[in-house]
Amino acid sequence: MTAAPLPSPLYVILDRDAARGRDILWLLEAVLDGGCRLVQLREKRMPMAELYPLARAIAERCRREGALFIVNDRADLALAVDAGGLHVGQDDLPAAAARGLLGPGKILGISTHNPAQARQALRDRADYVAVGSVFPTGTKEGFQLVGPDLVRALRPEIPDPLVGIGGITQDNAAEVIAAGADAVAVISAVCAAPDPAGATRRLMDRLAAALLMRR
């Protein structure tokens, strides 16, 4: 069965390091103001005593706005704050176990770096398959560069939404959509932008135009 479409062609990953000290909730407001309705919280080092109230606030704000909120890596946190779903990588909680924990009604996204991993994501009942790194990125150490070609190769056999991730900017986002992605995930392109609301709007406009060109 094909998973439901994602609510936005832009998927903004909120990352404290990329935000350079700016408040994450302020950044969330900018992203929502820019028109994005798909966000993820990526936080690897914050103590749970601080992370839980932050995630809860994001979840509540996204519910009010009709946005989908995804938690990176932490199934326990996603369930505790009633987030919309969970995103796991190849080195995180196994996707099949995550699917079992989440239960019905929650989104599961899985990072993949080759065709075999993408096919396994389908077997693990992913709701979307992330593919990357599409371009060189400074956000993730030891990234595997796959280029838009992997998105293009996977498109015919992956019925679920495909999300390109890694090094995506306003200048190259349309290329990822042209290759077959349904959405692109960004971190620095929004979180590190001087005007994150404006950056979000410009990305949304370029993605909308790219999707129209592909029809």
Side-chain angles (χ1 to χ4, degrees), residues 74-130:
R74 298 293 300 263
D76 56 344
L77 183 63
L79 291 169
V81 303
D82 194 23
L86 176 72
H87 183 94
V88 295
Q90 294 296 314
D91 297 324
D92 296 331
L93 180 71
R99 179 80 277 170
L101 285 171
L102 288 175
K106 298 294 185 184
I107 299 295
L108 177 64
I110 303 174
S111 288
T112 67
H113 314 292
N114 58 54
Q117 291 174 356
R119 294 173 192 131
Q120 183 61 50
L122 287 183
R123 290 192 289 272
D124 291 332
R125 293 182 291 156
D127 293 288
Y128 69 85
V129 178

Side-chain angles (χ1 to χ4, degrees), residues 28-66:
L28 172 66
E29 289 299 326
V31 169
L32 295 174
D33 185 56
C36 179
R37 293 297 178 267
L38 177 56
V39 298
Q40 179 190 129
L41 176 62
R42 179 180 185 268
E43 176 53 63
K44 302 292 187 180
R45 300 190 314 274
M46 184 180 285
M48 184 56 78
E50 299 175 31
L51 183 57
Y52 171 74
L54 173 61
R56 184 177 61 187
I58 295 172
E60 291 173 353
R61 182 68 184 94
C62 286
R63 275 192 290 272
R64 292 197 303 272
E65 197 65 34

Side-chain angles (χ1 to χ4, degrees), residues 2 20 26 48 53 60 72 75 83 129 135 145 172 177 183 193 203 206:
T2 304
R20 300 173 183 173
W26 172 84
M48 184 56 78
E60 291 173 353
N72 181 277
V129 178
F135 301 109
L145 184 62
N172 59 30
I177 296 296
L203 275 162
R206 293 195 182 193

